[in-house]
Amino acid sequence: MRRTILFFALFLVVESAEFFPNERDALLQLRDSVNSSVVDLHSHWTGPPCYYNQSKWAGISCSDGHVNQLVLEGIQLTGSLPPTFLLHITYLTKISFRNNLFYGPVPNLTGLIDLEFVFLSDNRFSGLIPFGYVELKKLTDLELQGNELEGSIPPFNQQSLIGFNVSSNKLEGPIPETPVLKRFSKSSYENNANLCGEVVGIPCSISPASPPKAPSEKKKNGLKVWSIALIAAAVTVLVLVSIMFIFFRYFRRSKRKGTQGEDKQGNISIENVVKRSYWSKSTEDPEKTLDLIFFEKDMSVFDMDDLLRASAEVLGKGKLSTTYKAILESGSVVAVKRLKEMNSLSKKEFTQQIQLLGKLKHENLVEMMSFYYSKDEKLIVYEYVPQGDLFELLHGSGIGRQPLNWTARISIIKDVAKGLNFLHQSLQSQKVPHGNIRSKNVLIQQDQNKNYHSKLTDYGFFPLLPSKESLRKLAVGKSPEFSQGKKLTRKADIYCFGILLLEVITGKIPGELFSPENGVTSYVDDDLSEWVRTVVNNDWSTDILDMEILAQKEGYDEMLKLTQLALQCTDEAPEKRPKMSEVLRRIEEIELEPKNLVTDVEDDSIS
Ligand SMILES: *[C@@H]1O[C@H](CO)[C@@H](O)[C@H](O)[C@H]1NC(C)=O
Ligand SMILES: *[C@@H]1O[C@H](CO)[C@@H](O)[C@H](O)[C@H]1NC(C)=O
Ligand SMILES: *[C@@H]1O[C@H](CO)[C@@H](O)[C@H](O)[C@H]1NC(C)=O
Ligand SMILES: *[C@@H]1O[C@H](CO)[C@@H](O)[C@H](O)[C@H]1NC(C)=O
């Protein structure tokens, strides 16, 4: 019963959601009438465009839940703009479609009184410059150059206007002699069909209403050879800069997160990374293992020397290890994890644990292939999973990113639960079988049907870490029992899994606290309990949901149940958290349930 009431409350909240459907509809109109070979807006613009001051939509910026900037530059957008689509985006301050392939009339901007920047240059817009542009009181910069606009220039006279360019169009007639338009030099006007006026140095005839159709000789005469060269050079530079800009924007996210190799220096090899210790060992200590130890014979198709010659690229840097992508000369690719903090371990301790882990085979675990041990160099070679990690998928931004819908999220979560359940079943003797569940350790694979699958990595290091200090660096180091100085059990893994669930549901980064009131972001360093309280806030509303899944109302039942499960998993008291086998069972039940049915089968209230 209580559940039904919760649902009712949930839907009420949605009706008064903080995004503005008119603005969203306007953008969807745009999305559905244009195409780009560079960005697929169709799959990118889903969910609400704004969440407070943030947006995950490419090209959109927001302020207080309203769209205030629309900037889609240089991405080969083609199509004609839907008429008057912008009228409902009333808080717009900037619109830029620079350097695309739009055709048809320029947009009607009537009523957009906050507009300051209008950049429509370098497209194929045609027709007249709307008279309504004269009424934009805050207009600061208007760029229309490089289109096919016709007719005359309206009498712009806004004091705010400090940038203005209508060059390289098909405009004609006298340039209005308003004080503001007189501010701009010839280069704002030149290369048009037949403009006249003082600034372009062409006197207007007595009857300017019907200017003669004489083709423009003046404009060509005015351009000396060197200036053509100069313009060509400038345009080339501009194009190069825009290409670099797009490139930068596209890759910035992955660079920042360090997944594409922060210190990737072209040709580093694994040998550069481990050489010193490897070779010094080999000379002074011939007894030691000098080669990789494989868990299965048929996998040992390469040896340590092959690995050392492989070219390497940093995939990720963690507190306990650095992972490299290594491309062997044979062409095969593996991931090599170089462990830190484990140098006090004896060979026996290390080998025993790694041998145990190496025997584990499961479709939701990243497979260990081999390892290398020396006193001060420990490497583990894993299968390489190319498509990045869950952290990237959830929190990335920028034009290259695709939003992650609910079906994909639940499929990823189920795979993680299966992998973790397998670890808990197979490593009965171990206190904390995984120890490091976090979104960066969930690697993603997409099959041919674009369905997402995931595999866990970084498992089984708990027994290898010598001190409390180094254990703190594992995900289980953020559990309440760890910060209270208690012994960790497998329920610490359940806690981390609960945090992962909340991260997938809310789209928030664990430990990162964002206050919508003042827009300040802070971080929780140790125990994540405060973060859990803040994101879930102990009250049910769709406010907690990641904006990317907010629009998927048919998933609300599942989202609610998964949140309940997450809260049980993150209970402060380890004994109250469910076992992994039960967690998996419940996730499978949630996934199998018919969608969009408000049921009150079980009354597992939260609080
Ligand atoms: C966009 O692409 C779709 C599918 O290729 C096509 O049907 C549509 O006409 C295109 N629209 C424009 C504006 O080019
Ligand atoms: C622009 O839109 C406004 C408001 O809908 C309308 O009154 C006006 O006629 C339109 N202008 C043009 C040129 O279509
Ligand atoms: C106007 O645009 C043209 C073409 O891009 C450019 O060459 C010129 O320098 C611009 N003038 C001003 C004042 O921005
Ligand atoms: C959003 O940004 C505006 C302007 O920077 C600021 O005044 C406002 O408080 C911010 N709102 C939120 C919810 O962060």
Side-chain angles (χ1 to χ4, degrees):
M1 293 314 131
R2 160 151 185 192
R3 165 172 294 237
T4 322
I5 296 165
L6 287 178
F7 267 101
F8 192 60
L10 202 66
F11 286 115
L12 280 184
V13 172
V14 176
E15 294 319 323
S16 62
E18 65 279 67
F19 71 93
F20 300 91
N22 275 346
E23 297 184 5
R24 183 170 188 273
D25 290 348
L27 294 174
L28 295 188
Q29 265 188 53
L30 172 67
R31 177 193 79 180
D32 296 342
S33 44
V34 302
N35 283 333
S36 161
S37 53
V38 181
V39 186
D40 181 10
L41 284 186
H42 213 276
S43 61
H44 199 285
W45 282 9
T46 63
C50 294
Y51 179 75
Y52 298 103
N53 281 351
Q54 299 173 316
S55 179
K56 283 194 184 174
W57 287 28
I60 303 296
S61 306
C62 299
S63 177
D64 290 332
H66 288 284
V67 174
N68 73 337
Q69 295 194 3
L70 174 54
V71 179
L72 296 167
E73 298 179 346
I75 49 173
Q76 296 180 28
L77 281 168
T78 177
S80 115
L81 295 174
T84 68
F85 80 106
L86 285 169
L87 297 190
H88 295 297
I89 312 183
T90 35
Y91 292 85
L92 211 54
T93 59
K94 175 172 178 178
I95 169 173
S96 177
F97 292 142
R98 263 183 192 144
N99 192 16
N100 282 293
L101 304 166
F102 285 114
Y103 50 86
V106 292
N108 182 340
L109 304 176
T110 303
L112 300 177
I113 50 170
D114 288 327
L115 258 184
E116 296 171 35
F117 303 96
V118 177
F119 300 142
L120 304 173
S121 50
D122 300 306
N123 279 282
R124 298 175 193 156
F125 286 115
S126 56
L128 305 175
I129 301 177
F131 198 83
Y133 284 18
V134 170
E135 271 137 35
L136 301 170
K137 291 278 178 295
K138 295 188 186 164
L139 192 62
T140 309
D141 200 345
L142 178 64
E143 291 185 4
L144 298 173
Q145 71 269 25
N147 283 294
E148 294 164 18
L149 299 170
E150 297 161 338
S152 54
I153 300 177
F156 287 94
N157 203 18
Q158 295 98 314
Q159 281 307 316
S160 54
L161 201 60
I162 52 174
F164 181 82
N165 200 336
V166 295
S167 65
S168 304
N169 276 292
K170 298 177 178 167
L171 298 168
E172 55 189 15
I175 297 169
E177 304 234 329
T178 64
V180 167
L181 284 184
K182 279 188 186 162
R183 289 176 186 168
F184 306 106
S185 67
K186 189 174 172 185
S187 83
S188 291
Y189 301 100
E190 66 195 357
N191 203 10
N192 267 294
N194 205 0
L195 281 177
C196 62
E198 212 176 301
V199 61
V200 286
I202 307 166
C204 296
S205 60
I206 314 292
S207 63
S210 57
K213 287 273 178 243
S216 44
E217 293 150 36
K218 301 276 180 188
K219 119 194 144 188
K220 285 269 147 63
N221 294 348
L223 290 176
K224 301 209 175 78
V225 175
W226 61 265
S227 68
I228 293 174
L230 209 67
I231 287 171
V235 167
T236 313
V237 168
L238 206 74
V239 166
L240 281 177
V241 167
S242 348
I243 290 171
M244 281 168 67
F245 180 72
I246 293 166
F247 223 75
F248 174 73
R249 295 251 309 222
Y250 197 93
F251 289 108
R252 182 183 52 179
R253 174 180 48 95
S254 37
K255 284 260 173 61
R256 194 180 61 222
K257 305 272 161 61
T259 51
Q260 294 286 326
E262 342 177 88
D263 43 67
K264 178 180 160 190
Q265 301 140 357
N267 287 328
I268 69 163
S269 67
I270 294 285
E271 186 168 8
N272 294 130
V273 176
V274 303
K275 189 176 179 181
R276 200 176 310 125
S277 49
Y278 174 66
W279 292 114
S280 63
K281 271 293 144 234
S282 66
T283 47
E284 76 199 29
D285 198 351
E287 293 287 280
K288 288 279 186 223
T289 315
L290 286 177
D291 210 346
L292 293 166
I293 300 173
F294 282 83
F295 303 113
E296 278 176 20
K297 277 271 164 353
D298 58 353
M299 275 194 172
S300 56
V301 288
F302 58 93
D303 61 17
M304 189 61 181
D305 288 319
D306 294 327
L307 189 63
L308 287 174
R309 282 197 303 270
S311 76
E313 178 184 315
V314 179
L315 282 176
K317 252 184 189 167
K319 289 178 186 152
L320 293 168
S321 64
T322 301
T323 308
Y324 301 85
K325 170 185 177 182
I327 304 168
L328 299 164
E329 279 171 344
S330 68
S332 33
V333 182
V334 293
V336 180
K337 191 178 283 289
R338 186 176 183 226
L339 300 167
K340 302 176 210 169
E341 309 258 339
M342 294 183 188
N343 286 345
S344 60
L345 289 174
S346 73
K347 183 177 180 188
K348 188 164 167 246
E349 288 168 308
F350 183 81
T351 310
Q352 264 178 0
Q353 175 69 3
I354 299 295
Q355 292 278 19
L356 186 64
L357 299 176
K359 291 203 186 83
L360 302 173
K361 303 277 175 248
H362 189 271
E363 58 175 347
N364 302 116
L365 290 183
V366 176
E367 186 172 0
M368 281 187 184
M369 299 167 75
S370 60
F371 69 96
Y372 169 80
Y373 173 95
S374 74
K375 182 100 191 66
D376 31 33
E377 193 64 64
K378 287 157 201 69
L379 306 176
I380 301 182
V381 181
Y382 291 90
E383 68 170 309
Y384 174 64
V385 182
Q387 277 148 327
D389 63 49
L390 180 59
F391 183 92
E392 249 331 75
L393 214 54
L394 285 172
H395 311 298
S397 61
I399 279 177
R401 179 177 180 278
Q402 298 291 310
L404 197 58
N405 67 26
W406 180 246
T407 320
R409 289 178 198 229
I410 194 146
S411 160
I412 289 170
I413 278 297
K414 193 178 71 180
D415 283 355
V416 173
K418 282 187 189 162
L420 187 55
N421 187 50
F422 174 79
L423 278 176
H424 278 210
Q425 303 294 328
S426 319
L427 300 172
Q428 293 286 348
S429 63
Q430 305 222 333
K431 278 192 236 142
V432 187
H434 191 294
N436 209 9
I437 307 256
R438 51 165 61 118
S439 55
K440 287 192 178 160
N441 292 334
V442 175
L443 303 189
I444 301 296
Q445 276 183 318
Q446 238 182 328
D447 62 24
Q448 295 108 320
N449 302 325
K450 301 261 177 196
N451 295 321
Y452 284 98
H453 299 282
S454 59
K455 290 181 180 228
L456 279 167
T457 187
D458 240 34
Y459 47 87
F461 296 144
F462 183 85
L464 297 177
L465 291 169
S467 65
K468 191 161 166 126
E469 245 349 277
S470 44
L471 285 178
R472 186 187 298 286
K473 296 174 181 170
L474 291 174
V476 288
K478 304 233 172 189
S479 62
E481 57 268 38
F482 185 85
S483 61
Q484 290 155 15
K486 294 186 189 147
K487 283 230 154 60
L488 295 183
T489 65
R490 51 189 50 214
K491 291 295 179 70
D493 267 348
I494 307 287
Y495 183 86
C496 298
F497 181 74
I499 296 286
L500 186 81
L501 281 179
L502 289 173
E503 182 177 354
V504 167
I505 295 165
T506 63
K508 298 199 166 56
I509 299 176
E512 194 175 279
L513 298 174
F514 174 70
S515 147
E517 289 76 43
N518 49 22
V520 172
T521 306
S522 53
Y523 298 89
V524 182
D525 265 347
D526 294 326
D527 190 343
L528 281 173
S529 316
E530 187 194 342
W531 181 77
V532 174
R533 274 196 300 277
T534 320
V535 295
V536 182
N537 206 8
N538 289 328
D539 279 323
W540 281 107
S541 82
T542 49
D543 280 0
I544 72 158
L545 299 178
D546 188 348
M547 58 185 185
E548 283 185 356
I549 55 175
L550 192 55
Q552 286 177 278
K553 295 192 181 165
E554 73 286 355
Y556 282 174
D557 192 19
E558 294 173 1
M559 296 175 202
L560 184 69
K561 286 187 181 163
L562 213 60
T563 314
Q564 290 173 319
L565 180 60
L567 288 177
Q568 285 169 13
C569 290
T570 52
D571 199 299
E572 298 242 351
E575 63 281 4
K576 290 201 186 149
R577 299 174 201 150
K579 283 178 155 174
M580 199 53 218
S581 53
E582 187 192 336
V583 172
L584 175 61
R585 183 185 60 74
R586 283 174 56 187
I587 290 177
E588 285 173 336
E589 266 173 26
I590 292 173
E591 204 201 14
L592 286 177
E593 237 167 67
K595 313 248 185 243
N596 211 12
L597 285 182
V598 179
T599 49
D600 31 17
V601 214
E602 45 180 307
D603 190 5
D604 40 1
S605 51
I606 28 80
S607 73

